[in-house]
Amino acid sequence: MQRENLRENLLLGMGNPLLDISATVDKDFLEKYNMKENNAILADESHKNLNSDLIEKYKAEFIAGGSVQNTLRVAQWLLQKPKVTTFFGCVGTDNYSKILKDKAQADGVNVQYQYNDKVLTGTCAVLITGSNRSLCADLAAANCFTVDHIRHPENRKLIENAQYFYVSGFFLTVSPSSILDVAKHALAYNRPFIMNLSAPFISQLYKEPLMQTMPYIDVLFGNETEADMFAKEQSFGTKDLKEIALKICNLPKQNENRPRVCVITTGHNPVILAREGKITEFPVNVIPKEKIVDTNGAGDAFAGGFLSQYIQDQNLDVCVRCGIWTAGQIVQRSGCTFSGKAAFQ
Ligand code: 26A
């Protein structure tokens, strides 16, 4: 690994800090809450008893979560140098936010939360069935993030000092104006702006802010169901993931000097990388079923592995290979967790 070009605050991420409440459940339980395997949704009135049900009936575990925060924690694990990444997101002043902050800081992330003393820290119900996971986020305080946070002089300095920016599609549900602010800053300084499609419902229900942001996106991650929904909503007229990836690269772009890269993961099938009209496929080292604990955080870990190399100027093949290796590690543990020293070569 190259280390010389690593410094503090190289990568700045924004997202929803959430504490995951995770348990293995049966399929009836999923149905009770109208949830589908391998989906991610926002909680509504019908989910108000979901967390307590998980805690009381299924001995749920509490694990640090939130998609972008997971990605940054994982990147820190690979980088082995504290505070290369900085995280912005909004939490409450309760015990859950203390747990989240302690975990992220222990993993090396420079955590700069916005605090809201009226709303509780967000949670995410994680329902594991076999090797699948279904997520239901109750954003609570995470939804209270405001653009004031990124305008605060101390945080502005961090933005100006960062070289790479990463935001989840999930964050489009919270503060599209903060996303656009950061994206425009990245463009003005010719710095990479990286996003994730995050979940099918983002392309469907948050199409307008997503497409407003698209011209600024230099690197876009997604999985097969997210890419499929995006293509459908954009009337691409194809279900072929390679064609979809190429079409995403060709959507209008502000910074024409930096061709858009689109990376689509497809579970244990090869990862698709599209750039400059070209597709490369990367086989996945398939983890045997008996070794898989849960796939919660696999996509976040892929992004974390990829970014840990991307911010060291490694070529895209190395970035994708590291993403694959990292996701393979995280699926062998509960939630987006890891231990020991990362051994990616
Ligand atoms: C807005 N939504 C739905 C969300 C999320 C989310 N993170 C941010 N916003 N829904 C689920 N997650 C997180 O995704 C991780 C797994 O990829 C969960 O907290 C979980 O840790």
Side-chain angles (χ1 to χ4, degrees), residues 136-192:
C136 179
D138 178 3
L139 295 183
N143 211 13
C144 301
F145 188 93
T146 60
V147 80
D148 302 339
H149 194 63
I150 61 170
R151 296 203 172 131
H152 186 281
E154 285 302 308
N155 294 333
R156 208 68 219 168
K157 268 193 227 155
L158 291 170
I159 293 174
E160 278 162 15
N161 186 248
Q163 282 293 333
Y164 299 84
F165 300 90
Y166 179 60
V167 183
S168 57
F170 283 139
F171 203 57
L172 287 166
T173 70
V174 173
S175 188
S177 54
S178 302
I179 299 179
L180 274 177
D181 183 305
V182 169
K184 286 179 183 170
H185 172 86
L187 171 68
Y189 290 87
N190 189 27
R191 294 175 186 169

Side-chain angles (χ1 to χ4, degrees), residues 95-106:
N95 197 40
Y96 280 7
S97 69
K98 280 201 196 80
I99 299 174
L100 274 183
K101 188 175 188 178
D102 287 349
K103 183 72 192 120
Q105 280 183 336

Side-chain angles (χ1 to χ4, degrees), residues 78-140:
L78 285 135
L79 293 165
Q80 295 167 35
K81 181 184 163 85
K83 296 194 176 178
V84 176
T85 69
T86 301
F87 178 71
F88 291 167
C90 187
V91 293
T93 50
D94 47 12
N95 197 40
Y96 280 7
S97 69
K98 280 201 196 80
I99 299 174
L100 274 183
K101 188 175 188 178
D102 287 349
K103 183 72 192 120
Q105 280 183 336
D107 289 337
V109 180
N110 177 18
V111 179
Q112 298 296 333
Y113 290 146
Q114 184 174 33
Y115 284 94
N116 186 306
D117 58 12
K118 294 181 185 65
V119 186
L120 296 174
T121 298
T123 54
C124 181
V126 179
L127 280 58
I128 313 286
T129 46
S131 51
N132 299 318
R133 98 289 184 261
S134 186
L135 309 169
C136 179
D138 178 3
L139 295 183

Side-chain angles (χ1 to χ4, degrees), residues 16 18 20 41-42 65-67 70 124 135 137 139 170 173 296-297 300:
N16 304 322
L18 304 176
D20 287 355
I41 58 169
L42 282 172
S67 178
N70 285 344
C124 181
L135 309 169
L139 295 183
F170 283 139
T173 70
N296 181 27
D300 302 336

